[in-house]
Amino acid sequence: MKALDLLLNRHSCARLASPAPEGAELETIWNAGLRAPDHGGLSPWRFIHVSGEGLSKLAGIFEQAALAEEGDAEKAKTMPFRAPLITIVVASPKTHSKVPEIEQVLSAGCAVHAMQMAAYAQGYNGIWRTGPMAYSSIVNHELGLAEHESIVGYLYLGSPQIKVSKTRELPFKDYVSWL
Ligand SMILES: Cc1cc2nc3c(=O)[nH]c(=O)nc-3n(C[C@H](O)[C@H](O)[C@H](O)COP(=O)(O)O)c2cc1C
């Protein structure tokens, strides 16, 4: 796949099933994430791989959080099973005199995007999700996040089950101004 085709045509898919990327393909996806722009070379991210039994563990964590935080526990416990694989991307900012935290969180966000594109380029697809489970102190605790860390996204990955007929095309003139 040509780089520009990937950049211009990439799209998400919310309906995902097995097979999920594994082995060298999955490592390629993680390596693409690790190539995200990174001011100061701080590697301000880490990834938590969730598949198989891990999906059930995550479902239990989501249920626990939803029950405690007045969410929809019945729905929450089903959410991880929307794909055979989830990579949780955690922003793990470092203290640095010239690189503020926001830049490091942006880097972690770029890693999500890069990993979705790497999945797409290999014939898989995915979707970046957040929602209340990305901002829950209970989930953070159960996943072992440190106080300064945060979830940037759940990247659901797998084989697309539906074909996206047309991607949204925004007219660049509406978004670009000239100085
Ligand atoms: C930070 C962030 C959080 C998102 N959270 C969700 C989410 O929780 N649920 C969802 O359906 N889409 C979410 N999206 C949007 C999808 O990832 C996707 O971008 C959107 O469906 C548009 O599809 P496209 O990527 O094909 O343009 C989120 C996107 C971003 C950047």
Side-chain angles (χ1 to χ4, degrees):
M1 182 178 284
K2 287 188 180 156
L4 281 178
D5 286 342
L6 173 62
L7 286 168
L8 295 173
N9 296 312
R10 173 218 67 84
H11 56 266
S12 303
C13 182
R15 294 276 300 279
L16 301 159
S18 294
E22 56 182 40
E25 291 176 324
L26 184 55
E27 287 176 16
T28 296
I29 289 170
W30 291 333
N31 284 328
L34 296 174
R35 280 299 308 129
D38 173 13
H39 190 180
L42 300 176
S43 309
W45 45 54
R46 60 191 185 89
F47 311 148
I48 302 173
H49 173 79
V50 188
S51 66
E53 264 306 295
L55 293 172
S56 300
K57 284 188 200 163
L58 189 61
I61 292 171
F62 280 5
E63 183 182 22
Q64 182 190 340
L67 283 170
E69 293 165 351
E70 293 174 13
D72 183 344
E74 285 306 308
K75 182 178 173 204
K77 71 180 181 190
T78 67
M79 293 195 307
F81 301 107
R82 293 177 291 187
L85 163 60
I86 301 173
T87 294
I88 306 173
V89 178
V90 175
S92 191
K94 315 291 186 300
T95 304
H96 192 281
S97 57
K98 293 195 183 118
V99 186
E101 187 174 321
I102 177 67
E103 293 187 7
Q104 301 185 47
V105 175
L106 287 169
S107 284
C110 289
V112 183
H113 188 46
M115 287 195 279
Q116 200 233 336
M117 285 196 290
Y120 184 80
Q122 296 182 93
Y124 299 97
N125 208 342
I127 183 165
W128 179 349
R129 294 184 186 272
T130 49
M133 296 299 131
Y135 309 111
S136 157
S137 56
I138 292 174
V139 172
N140 286 2
H141 177 263
E142 293 300 319
L143 291 175
L145 268 65
E147 202 58 44
H148 69 287
E149 293 182 320
S150 57
I151 292 171
V152 167
Y154 295 90
L155 181 60
Y156 286 68
L157 293 170
S159 297
Q161 298 302 293
I162 45 171
K163 213 173 158 84
V164 174
S165 52
K166 193 156 169 41
T167 50
R168 190 172 63 139
E169 279 178 35
L170 298 174
F172 71 84
K173 283 187 195 146
D174 292 354
Y175 299 91
V176 181
S177 61
W178 278 255
L179 186 65

Coordinates of all heavy atoms in Angstrom, one line a residue, residues 86-125:
I86 N -7.4 -5.7 21.9 CA -7.3 -4.3 22.3 C -5.9 -3.9 22.7 O -5.3 -4.6 23.5 CB -8.3 -3.9 23.4 CG1 -9.8 -4.3 23.0 CG2 -8.3 -2.4 23.8 CD1 -10.8 -4.2 24.2
T87 N -5.4 -2.8 22.2 CA -4.2 -2.3 22.7 C -4.6 -1.0 23.5 O -5.1 0.0 22.8 CB -3.2 -1.9 21.6 OG1 -2.8 -3.2 21.0 CG2 -1.9 -1.2 22.2
I88 N -4.3 -1.0 24.7 CA -4.6 0.2 25.5 C -3.4 1.1 25.5 O -2.3 0.6 25.8 CB -5.0 -0.2 27.0 CG1 -6.1 -1.2 27.1 CG2 -5.4 1.1 27.8 CD1 -6.4 -1.7 28.5
V89 N -3.6 2.3 25.1 CA -2.4 3.2 25.0 C -2.5 4.2 26.2 O -3.4 4.9 26.4 CB -2.4 4.0 23.6 CG1 -1.3 5.0 23.6 CG2 -2.4 3.0 22.5
V90 N -1.4 4.1 26.9 CA -1.3 4.9 28.2 C -0.3 6.0 27.9 O 0.9 5.7 27.5 CB -0.8 4.0 29.3 CG1 -0.6 4.8 30.6 CG2 -1.9 2.9 29.6
A91 N -0.7 7.2 28.2 CA 0.3 8.3 28.2 C 1.1 8.3 29.5 O 0.5 8.2 30.6 CB -0.4 9.7 28.1
S92 N 2.4 8.2 29.4 CA 3.2 8.1 30.6 C 4.3 9.2 30.6 O 5.4 9.0 30.3 CB 3.9 6.7 30.6 OG 4.5 6.4 31.8
P93 N 3.8 10.5 30.8 CA 4.7 11.6 30.7 C 5.8 11.6 31.7 O 5.7 11.2 32.8 CB 3.7 12.8 30.9 CG 2.5 12.3 31.5 CD 2.4 10.8 31.3
K94 N 6.9 12.2 31.2 CA 8.1 12.3 32.1 C 8.3 13.8 32.4 O 7.9 14.7 31.7 CB 9.4 11.9 31.3 CG 9.2 10.5 30.5 CD 9.1 9.3 31.4 CE 9.1 8.0 30.8 NZ 8.0 7.7 29.8
T95 N 8.9 14.0 33.6 CA 9.2 15.4 33.9 C 10.3 15.9 33.1 O 11.4 15.3 33.0 CB 9.6 15.5 35.4 OG1 8.5 14.9 36.2 CG2 9.8 16.9 35.9
H96 N 10.1 17.0 32.4 CA 11.1 17.6 31.5 C 11.0 19.1 31.5 O 9.9 19.6 31.3 CB 11.0 17.0 30.1 CG 12.1 17.2 29.2 ND1 12.4 18.4 28.6 CD2 13.2 16.4 28.9 CE1 13.5 18.4 27.9 NE2 14.0 17.1 28.0
S97 N 12.1 19.8 31.5 CA 12.0 21.3 31.6 C 11.5 21.9 30.3 O 10.9 23.0 30.4 CB 13.4 21.8 31.9 OG 14.3 21.4 30.9
K98 N 11.7 21.2 29.2 CA 11.3 21.9 27.9 C 10.1 21.2 27.2 O 9.6 21.6 26.2 CB 12.5 21.8 26.9 CG 13.6 22.7 27.4 CD 14.6 22.9 26.2 CE 15.8 23.8 26.7 NZ 17.0 23.1 26.6
V99 N 9.7 20.0 27.7 CA 8.6 19.3 27.1 C 7.4 19.2 28.0 O 7.4 18.3 28.9 CB 9.1 17.9 26.6 CG1 8.0 17.2 25.8 CG2 10.4 18.0 25.8
P100 N 6.4 20.0 27.8 CA 5.3 20.0 28.7 C 4.5 18.7 28.5 O 4.5 18.0 27.5 CB 4.4 21.2 28.3 CG 4.9 21.6 27.0 CD 6.3 21.1 26.8
E101 N 3.7 18.4 29.5 CA 2.9 17.2 29.5 C 2.0 17.0 28.3 O 1.8 16.0 27.7 CB 2.1 17.1 30.8 CG 1.4 15.8 31.0 CD 0.7 15.6 32.3 OE1 1.2 16.1 33.3 OE2 -0.4 15.1 32.4
I102 N 1.4 18.2 27.9 CA 0.4 18.1 26.8 C 1.1 17.6 25.5 O 0.6 16.8 24.8 CB -0.2 19.5 26.5 CG1 -1.1 19.5 25.3 CG2 0.8 20.6 26.4 CD1 -2.3 18.7 25.4
E103 N 2.4 18.0 25.3 CA 3.1 17.5 24.1 C 3.3 15.9 24.2 O 3.3 15.2 23.2 CB 4.4 18.2 24.0 CG 4.3 19.6 23.7 CD 5.6 20.3 23.4 OE1 6.7 19.6 23.3 OE2 5.6 21.5 23.2
Q104 N 3.5 15.5 25.4 CA 3.7 14.0 25.6 C 2.4 13.2 25.4 O 2.4 12.1 24.9 CB 4.4 13.8 27.0 CG 5.7 14.5 27.1 CD 6.4 14.2 28.4 OE1 6.5 13.1 28.8 NE2 6.9 15.2 29.1
V105 N 1.3 13.8 25.9 CA 0.0 13.2 25.6 C -0.3 13.1 24.1 O -0.8 12.2 23.6 CB -1.1 13.9 26.4 CG1 -2.4 13.3 26.1 CG2 -0.8 13.8 27.9
L106 N 0.1 14.3 23.5 CA -0.1 14.3 22.0 C 0.7 13.2 21.3 O 0.2 12.5 20.4 CB 0.3 15.7 21.4 CG -0.7 16.8 21.7 CD1 0.0 18.2 21.4 CD2 -2.0 16.6 21.0
S107 N 1.9 13.0 21.8 CA 2.7 11.9 21.2 C 2.1 10.5 21.4 O 2.0 9.7 20.5 CB 4.1 11.8 21.9 OG 4.9 12.9 21.4
A108 N 1.5 10.3 22.6 CA 0.8 9.0 22.8 C -0.4 8.9 21.9 O -0.7 7.8 21.3 CB 0.4 8.9 24.3
G109 N -1.1 10.0 21.6 CA -2.2 10.0 20.7 C -1.7 9.7 19.3 O -2.4 8.9 18.5
C110 N -0.6 10.3 18.9 CA 0.0 9.9 17.6 C 0.3 8.4 17.5 O 0.1 7.8 16.4 CB 1.2 10.7 17.3 SG 1.0 12.5 17.0
A111 N 0.7 7.8 18.6 CA 1.0 6.4 18.6 C -0.3 5.6 18.3 O -0.2 4.6 17.5 CB 1.6 6.0 19.9
V112 N -1.4 6.0 18.8 CA -2.7 5.3 18.5 C -3.0 5.4 17.0 O -3.3 4.4 16.4 CB -3.9 6.0 19.3 CG1 -5.1 5.2 19.0 CG2 -3.6 6.1 20.8
H113 N -2.9 6.6 16.5 CA -3.1 6.7 15.0 C -2.2 5.9 14.2 O -2.6 5.2 13.2 CB -3.0 8.2 14.7 CG -3.5 8.6 13.3 ND1 -4.6 8.1 12.8 CD2 -2.9 9.4 12.4 CE1 -4.8 8.6 11.6 NE2 -3.7 9.4 11.3
A114 N -0.9 5.9 14.5 CA 0.1 5.2 13.8 C -0.3 3.7 13.8 O -0.1 3.0 12.8 CB 1.5 5.4 14.3
M115 N -0.7 3.2 15.0 CA -0.9 1.8 15.1 C -2.2 1.4 14.3 O -2.3 0.3 13.7 CB -1.1 1.4 16.6 CG 0.3 1.4 17.3 SD 0.3 0.5 18.9 CE -0.4 1.8 19.9
Q116 N -3.2 2.3 14.3 CA -4.4 2.0 13.5 C -4.0 1.9 12.0 O -4.5 1.0 11.3 CB -5.5 3.0 13.8 CG -6.9 2.4 13.3 CD -7.6 3.3 12.4 OE1 -7.4 4.5 12.3 NE2 -8.5 2.7 11.7
M117 N -3.2 2.8 11.6 CA -2.8 2.8 10.2 C -1.9 1.6 9.9 O -2.1 1.0 8.8 CB -2.0 4.1 9.8 CG -2.9 5.3 9.7 SD -2.1 6.7 8.9 CE -0.9 7.2 10.1
A118 N -1.1 1.1 10.8 CA -0.3 0.0 10.6 C -1.2 -1.3 10.5 O -0.9 -2.2 9.7 CB 0.8 -0.2 11.7
A119 N -2.2 -1.3 11.3 CA -3.2 -2.4 11.2 C -3.9 -2.4 9.8 O -4.0 -3.4 9.1 CB -4.2 -2.4 12.3
Y120 N -4.3 -1.2 9.4 CA -5.1 -1.1 8.2 C -4.2 -1.5 7.0 O -4.6 -2.1 6.1 CB -5.5 0.4 8.1 CG -6.3 0.7 6.8 CD1 -7.7 0.5 6.8 CD2 -5.8 1.4 5.7 CE1 -8.5 0.8 5.7 CE2 -6.5 1.7 4.6 CZ -7.9 1.4 4.6 OH -8.6 1.7 3.5
A121 N -2.9 -1.0 7.0 CA -2.0 -1.3 5.9 C -1.7 -2.8 5.8 O -1.3 -3.3 4.7 CB -0.7 -0.6 6.2
Q122 N -2.0 -3.6 6.8 CA -1.8 -5.0 6.8 C -3.0 -5.8 6.6 O -3.1 -7.0 6.8 CB -1.1 -5.5 8.1 CG 0.3 -4.9 8.3 CD 1.0 -5.4 9.5 OE1 1.8 -6.4 9.5 NE2 0.8 -4.8 10.6
G123 N -4.1 -5.1 6.2 CA -5.4 -5.8 5.9 C -6.3 -5.9 7.1 O -7.4 -6.6 7.0
Y124 N -5.9 -5.4 8.2 CA -6.8 -5.5 9.4 C -7.5 -4.1 9.5 O -7.4 -3.3 8.6 CB -6.0 -5.8 10.7 CG -5.3 -7.1 10.6 CD1 -4.0 -7.3 10.3 CD2 -6.0 -8.3 10.9 CE1 -3.4 -8.5 10.2 CE2 -5.4 -9.5 10.9 CZ -4.1 -9.6 10.5 OH -3.5 -10.9 10.5
N125 N -8.1 -3.8 10.6 CA -8.6 -2.5 10.9 C -8.8 -2.4 12.4 O -8.6 -3.3 13.1 CB -9.8 -2.1 10.1 CG -9.9 -0.6 9.8 OD1 -9.2 0.2 10.5 ND2 -10.7 -0.2 8.8

